[in-house]
Amino acid sequence: MSDPKRITLITGANKGIGFEVARQLGKAGHRVLLGARDAGRGQAAADTLRGEGLDVQFVQVDLGDTASLARAAAAIEASEGHIDVLINNAGVALEGDGNVSTANLDAVRRTFDTNYFGAIAATQALLPLVKKSSEGRILNVSSRLGSITYNADPNWEYAAVKMIGYNASKAALNMSSVILADELKDTGIKVHVVCPGYTATDLNGNSGPQTVEEGAEEIVRLATQANAAPSGSFTGREGPAPW
């Protein structure tokens, strides 16, 4: 799985966990397509990793723009021919999110637009390229906050974190991942749902106790190891996670 010809596209990879995943997969021998919405930031991130001797190329990917996704898919098909690993990493947590009775509905909608609809849009645009791989994988970066089991447990360590937009968008992403895994069960493509853990990034004001290296750990494992987990499963650094 460390063959240098393996091609991995990561959305939202210009910073945070996505950037670190790009770095680690580049070191593992992957050709990394670093996806980002902002061309300046994305190109700068790719240039940084290329400066470290890694095979990284910037690809502009705007999850809210189907034309952007179509252009990205066409460009990748022309230059690479296929994608081996698609990592739907881009995500947001927005001010105004909160409990059902008080959350700002616009913030909830915008959260779903990126975390859920954006991931589906990227998958629909890029799946034909993953199907051209001899060993395709799709990794959806979720969160334990999207686990209904955990959210229903008052003794869970993060039980107080109740953000209807973020938590529900990740729960919806989990559901779509299970359905996608079933849809692709006869193709050889594996679908994984992964929680990187509470990692210090811009998403949470750098409040998480984990480093980005630790946050990237499970994503990189699923992207590189053969038979790392069953298709349609939900895992994190701690092991399997409940739905």
Side-chain angles (χ1 to χ4, degrees):
M1 291 294 294
S2 60
D3 188 310
K5 294 183 180 179
R6 286 190 67 78
I7 300 165
T8 297
L9 172 64
I10 310 166
T11 66
N14 61 290
K15 63 179 181 178
I17 292 173
F19 181 73
E20 182 59 28
V21 169
R23 171 181 279 134
Q24 291 189 26
L25 289 180
K27 290 180 177 179
H30 287 219
R31 176 169 170 77
V32 176
L33 306 179
L34 188 153
R37 180 177 59 181
D38 185 281
R41 294 174 183 175
Q43 189 63 63
D47 289 345
T48 296
L49 295 179
R50 279 204 304 274
E52 298 177 11
L54 306 179
D55 186 2
V56 178
Q57 297 294 323
F58 166 63
V59 177
Q60 188 167 24
V61 176
D62 185 344
L63 302 186
D65 183 349
T66 54
S68 166
L69 290 168
R71 287 193 299 270
I76 295 168
E77 183 171 25
S79 63
E80 313 296 341
H82 71 282
I83 294 172
D84 295 296
V85 184
L86 169 61
I87 302 178
N88 286 312
N89 166 74
V92 297
L94 300 177
E95 185 177 353
D97 199 354
N99 287 319
V100 173
S101 62
T102 59
N104 180 286
L105 282 179
D106 181 61
V108 173
R109 289 190 181 99
R110 287 187 290 125
T111 300
F112 263 81
D113 280 343
T114 297
N115 295 359
Y116 179 60
F117 292 112
I120 291 178
T123 299
Q124 289 183 343
L126 298 164
L127 180 57
L129 295 177
V130 180
K131 287 182 175 179
K132 293 184 177 184
S133 170
S134 61
E135 194 177 353
R137 298 187 188 189
I138 297 173
L139 276 60
N140 288 331
V141 179
S142 185
S143 170
R144 286 183 293 166
L145 290 173
S147 164
I148 294 176
T149 300
Y150 278 139
N151 275 275
D153 181 0
N155 297 314
W156 182 45
E157 59 182 324
Y158 298 117
V161 184
K162 293 291 194 290
M163 299 181 292
I164 186 58
Y166 187 83
N167 295 25
S169 69
K170 292 300 187 180
L173 179 65
N174 292 353
M175 175 62 78
S176 67
S177 303
V178 171
I179 292 174
L180 180 63
D182 180 73
E183 178 185 346
L184 299 176
K185 63 180 181 297
D186 296 325
T187 68
I189 297 173
K190 292 185 177 181
V191 179
H192 301 300
V193 184
V194 54
C195 172
Y198 189 13
T199 303
T201 66
D202 289 349
L203 189 77
N204 53 49
N206 294 297
S207 61
Q210 288 186 168
T211 65
V212 288
E213 291 82 4
E214 291 170 328
E217 185 177 301
E218 179 67 3
I219 301 171
V220 171
R221 186 184 76 86
L222 291 169
T224 57
Q225 291 186 13
N227 302 312
S231 186
S233 61
F234 184 16
T235 65
R237 291 183 74 216
E238 306 83 0
W243 298 109

